[in-house]
Amino acid sequence: MPLLHGASLRALLAGAAVAHLSSFPIVRASPCAPPQPLRLRAFASHSASEPPPPPPSSPSPSTSRVLASAAAACDCEEGAKPAICTADELHYAPVPGTEWRLALWRYRPPPEAPKRNHPLMLLSGVATNAVGFDLSPGASFARHMSMQGFDTWIVELRGAGLSTRGSELAAASTKSDMSSNSGVDKILTQKVNVVPPTKDMLTNEPQSSEVPVLTDTNVLETNTSEEPQLVTKLANALAQLSVTFSGYVRDSQLRSITDSFFDRVTELVPDASLTSSLEEVADKFLGLMELPQTSAIYDQISQLSQRLVKILGEGQQNVSPRLFGWQERLSATIEDLQKQLELIISYDWDFDHYLEEDVPAAIDYIKQQSVPKDGKLLAIGHSMGGILLYAMVSKCGFEGADPELAAIVTLASSVDYTTSNSSLKLFVPLADPAEMLRVPAVPLGTLLSTTYPISSRAPYILSLLRSQISAKDMMDPELLSKLILNNFCTVPAKVLLQLATSFRDGGLRNRAGTFFFKEHLGKIKVPVLALAGDEDLICPPEAVYETVKVIPQHLVTYKVFGKPEGPHYAHYDLVGGRKAVHEVYPCIIEFLSQHDDVSS
């Protein structure tokens, strides 16, 4: 069955972008049966190409800063975790320089389990939470690993699952630790007051007399008594847009939103002779967006808002019949703008934020709690989780740094999809990033929970959704439904756009486009087990091998699960398929056991 047409899919995403997300109950997990060992095989590697110049990067947060901030996080207490969390404990790890606290689901090994030297970190895929690793008592990867003696931690990245963003962490962080972006976020989460601010809206410093001020007699002489509530509403919305734009000057997304807003406002002017006046106001406002946001700038935004409303009102006097309800339509346009800005503010992060901030913070917190003798962890990543592990060891290999990982396992992951026929090529916005940025966040959980009932009954219009996740007869229908309805959440467009670079020549790169992660995998010193599913439509075996082949031969083990006669493995089956506990889990446990010795 063919996939949805690209234009239809983007329309669906845009319509669902402001949908409310729903929560669903999760079944508590319990231990699984012990595994049996399985032999592994390795493939030869190929040399990496010459590295590019060093990219600009931010240093990873230091352990001392993480530990200092950890006191402000909500450590788990008996009975304190919510019912939705099926782990033994729920911890919160602060991300330095932000207001984020990452939810960490901890599964403690029982006393009779084998003794292990390293804790185990699990990273989920894009727009997913901890549920995929702990779906049910009979299909809990996390619980199974804890029964094998591993102190197991599932990391929920920012925006996923139980991870939260609040002001309590910011209060515990020093001012020097705060990034410029988080400072802007703090400003943007506050309402813009009707009374103009008396301090600089970005720096909170007294207004500088050197800030340029635009003057226009037409603006200053507008009638301030005309539609005062509408003027105030418009001024506040435009001021919020201006503050947002000042924090992301190079982001074409906000420029596009501004143009779209004024295009809609232009439709409310029935008199064509006034279009030039409206365009003049729009141009002046765009000029203000380039300036520091002070009270003087806010004054001018308010004056421009007055003039804009006056132009629209005068337009109604000069035409017959008049446009009915233009005030209400303008008000609705302003509200749409505010909602879009809220989405941008709430979902303004990309893959590099996960890599440079979230994962290091989680590693430091887990080390603080588990205290491994050599200061290292074992890590398993599914889909994007594995991509994060590849990116992490690649960056450390380039820098000559220690990734603090004793060994890693990647499940259905690759940093280069160019040689594969991945189904993501039809879903990821490859050709028109600007269009995708009109939808700041994709509510994947809402989309899947809405479409899944259609796909699970005749005429099976969206039955392809099932094959994207699990192969035929590989998962119990109830567990598959639970996975689709509980495991997915909202993902920022910027995350998808950065991941989309893995479909271009050279593979995945950093946000600046200056660092290609695949090029430096030949320099890593961490053992890697890379697993693929024979019927994985999202990350086919050829995509996995495209990454594996550049890793040093003595460090990498590669295996494809699935047989010609069956069973077959799709994207999620490596974690939760009915055969995984007997075929995949033993393979992973044997590999991790080989690299759990602190003396090695």
Side-chain angles (χ1 to χ4, degrees):
M1 178 177 290
L3 294 175
L4 288 174
H5 188 274
S8 301
L9 180 63
R10 286 192 291 270
L12 179 63
L13 295 179
V18 295
H20 294 288
L21 301 180
S22 302
S23 299
F24 298 88
I26 306 175
V27 177
R28 173 173 288 278
S30 66
C32 304
Q36 299 297 323
L38 186 68
R39 297 293 298 173
L40 307 178
R41 58 192 177 96
F43 278 76
S45 65
H46 295 263
S47 299
S49 57
E50 197 67 24
S57 59
S58 301
S60 300
S62 65
T63 304
S64 59
R65 258 201 304 140
V66 174
L67 300 185
S69 300
C74 293
D75 289 343
C76 61
E77 298 177 3
E78 187 66 29
K81 67 184 179 70
I84 194 174
C85 178
T86 53
D88 297 325
E89 301 169 0
L90 176 64
H91 293 244
Y92 284 95
V95 180
T98 77
E99 292 188 338
W100 281 104
R101 297 186 306 144
L102 308 180
L104 304 182
W105 297 34
R106 187 181 192 179
Y107 302 77
R108 287 185 176 272
E112 65 273 16
K115 301 303 178 183
R116 305 289 184 176
N117 294 309
H118 299 96
L120 175 63
M121 176 178 68
L122 306 182
L123 296 175
S124 303
V126 64
T128 59
N129 54 39
V131 174
F133 281 123
D134 189 8
L135 190 58
S136 77
S140 174
F141 182 82
R143 185 71 64 182
H144 189 102
M145 299 307 289
S146 71
M147 293 296 293
Q148 295 301 312
F150 296 101
D151 184 9
T152 304
W153 300 74
I154 307 176
V155 178
E156 290 188 315
L157 301 171
R158 66 181 69 189
L162 298 175
S163 292
T164 62
R165 175 168 52 187
S167 59
E168 63 271 23
L169 181 58
S173 302
T174 63
K175 185 176 181 181
S176 60
D177 286 338
M178 298 299 290
S179 67
S180 58
N181 279 359
S182 62
V184 172
D185 286 346
K186 185 177 180 181
I187 295 292
L188 295 177
T189 54
Q190 301 173 351
K191 276 190 175 180
V192 181
N193 295 327
V194 175
V195 179
T198 58
K199 293 184 178 181
D200 190 296
M201 297 172 69
L202 288 179
T203 64
N204 204 34
E205 297 294 332
Q207 179 184 335
S208 171
S209 59
E210 298 179 359
V211 174
V213 178
L214 301 179
T215 58
D216 190 308
T217 54
N218 291 327
V219 174
L220 298 177
E221 293 175 0
T222 52
N223 184 0
T224 58
S225 64
E226 194 166 357
E227 304 291 346
Q229 293 183 348
L230 196 54
V231 169
T232 297
K233 186 175 184 179
L234 177 60
N236 287 340
L238 294 180
Q240 184 184 19
L241 175 60
S242 185
V243 172
T244 304
F245 187 87
S246 67
Y248 310 94
V249 169
R250 297 180 181 178
D251 196 335
S252 60
Q253 177 184 8
L254 287 162
R255 175 72 66 171
S256 174
I257 290 173
T258 303
D259 292 341
S260 176
F261 172 76
F262 280 105
D263 286 344
R264 291 185 61 183
V265 172
T266 302
E267 297 174 359
L268 301 178
V269 183
D271 188 350
S273 64
L274 296 176
T275 302
S276 60
S277 298
L278 183 60
E279 291 176 348
E280 180 186 356
V281 172
D283 289 341
K284 290 182 181 298
F285 172 71
L286 290 173
L288 292 175
M289 292 175 69
E290 307 287 351
L291 302 177
Q293 298 307 296
T294 64
S295 58
I297 300 301
Y298 180 89
D299 285 339
Q300 293 182 76
I301 291 174
S302 180
Q303 293 159 6
L304 285 173
S305 300
Q306 295 167 16
R307 184 177 178 191
L308 179 60
V309 172
K310 182 177 181 180
I311 290 173
L312 296 176
E314 289 177 347
Q316 309 306 313
Q317 304 295 327
N318 300 331
V319 297
S320 180
R322 297 180 181 179
L323 180 63
F324 177 76
W326 69 269
Q327 296 97 333
E328 288 78 6
R329 291 177 60 178
L330 176 58
S331 179
T333 301
I334 297 170
E335 290 174 0
D336 289 344
L337 171 64
Q338 292 171 328
K339 290 177 181 178
Q340 200 164 14
L341 289 174
E342 289 170 2
L343 274 175
I344 295 173
I345 296 165
S346 299
Y347 293 96
D348 188 67
W349 67 86
D350 55 24
F351 179 86
D352 281 1
H353 285 99
Y354 295 149
L355 175 64
E356 298 172 358
E357 299 180 7
D358 291 11
V359 175
I363 289 176
D364 285 336
Y365 186 89
I366 293 172
K367 289 198 309 179
Q368 176 202 4
Q369 297 294 320
S370 296
V371 195
K373 293 180 180 178
D374 61 355
K376 295 184 177 182
L377 278 66
L378 298 167
I380 300 175
H382 175 247
S383 193
M384 188 191 73
I387 297 175
L388 279 167
L389 293 177
Y390 279 138
M392 183 176 179
V393 296
S394 170
K395 188 175 179 183
C396 288
F398 173 77
E399 298 172 348
D402 184 357
E404 301 176 332
L405 298 172
I408 66 172
V409 179
T410 64
L411 310 175
S413 305
S414 177
V415 295
D416 189 345
Y417 287 79
T418 55
T419 61
S420 72
N421 191 29
S422 169
S423 60
L424 289 180
K425 289 183 179 180
L426 297 178
F427 284 92
V428 180
L430 301 176
D432 193 357
E435 181 177 349
M436 186 61 190
L437 283 174
R438 292 179 184 270
V439 183
V442 179
L444 188 59
T446 301
L447 287 170
L448 292 178
S449 63
T450 301
T451 58
Y452 181 70
I454 304 175
S455 70
S456 58
R457 64 173 183 268
Y460 305 103
I461 299 175
L462 297 175
S463 60
L464 184 62
L465 173 64
R466 298 169 63 93
S467 61
Q468 297 288 321
I469 298 173
S470 180
K472 184 179 180 181
D473 299 327
M474 199 53 160
M475 285 189 68
D476 178 273
E478 291 185 4
L479 290 181
L480 180 60
S481 297
K482 190 176 298 181
L483 175 71
I484 293 175
L485 297 176
N486 290 268
N487 188 47
F488 298 93
C489 50
T490 298
V491 57
K494 288 186 176 181
V495 171
L496 298 179
L497 287 171
Q498 189 171 353
L499 289 174
T501 63
S502 61
F503 288 85
R504 302 174 190 164
D505 291 342
L508 182 71
R509 61 207 68 177
N510 64 353
R511 73 167 66 98
T514 57
F515 187 87
F516 292 76
F517 294 103
K518 181 182 175 182
E519 291 186 1
H520 306 287
L521 286 174
K523 305 170 187 175
I524 71 172
K525 299 179 180 180
V526 179
V528 177
L529 171 63
L531 304 183
D534 65 328
E535 286 193 354
D536 191 336
L537 302 177
I538 293 175
C539 187
E542 58 266 30
V544 176
Y545 184 70
E546 188 65 25
T547 296
V548 166
K549 69 181 185 181
V550 300
I551 300 174
Q553 180 180 358
H554 69 284
L555 288 176
V556 65
T557 304
Y558 169 67
K559 183 174 178 61
V560 179
F561 282 91
K563 303 175 182 178
E565 67 277 8
H568 299 288
Y569 285 79
H571 195 62
Y572 180 73
D573 294 328
L574 293 172
V575 177
R578 60 184 177 84
K579 291 287 186 178
V581 66
H582 303 296
E583 296 182 352
V584 182
Y585 294 7
C587 173
I588 296 173
I589 292 168
E590 180 184 359
F591 175 81
L592 294 179
S593 299
Q594 292 174 354
H595 301 285
D596 187 49
D597 187 356
V598 295
S599 62
S600 59

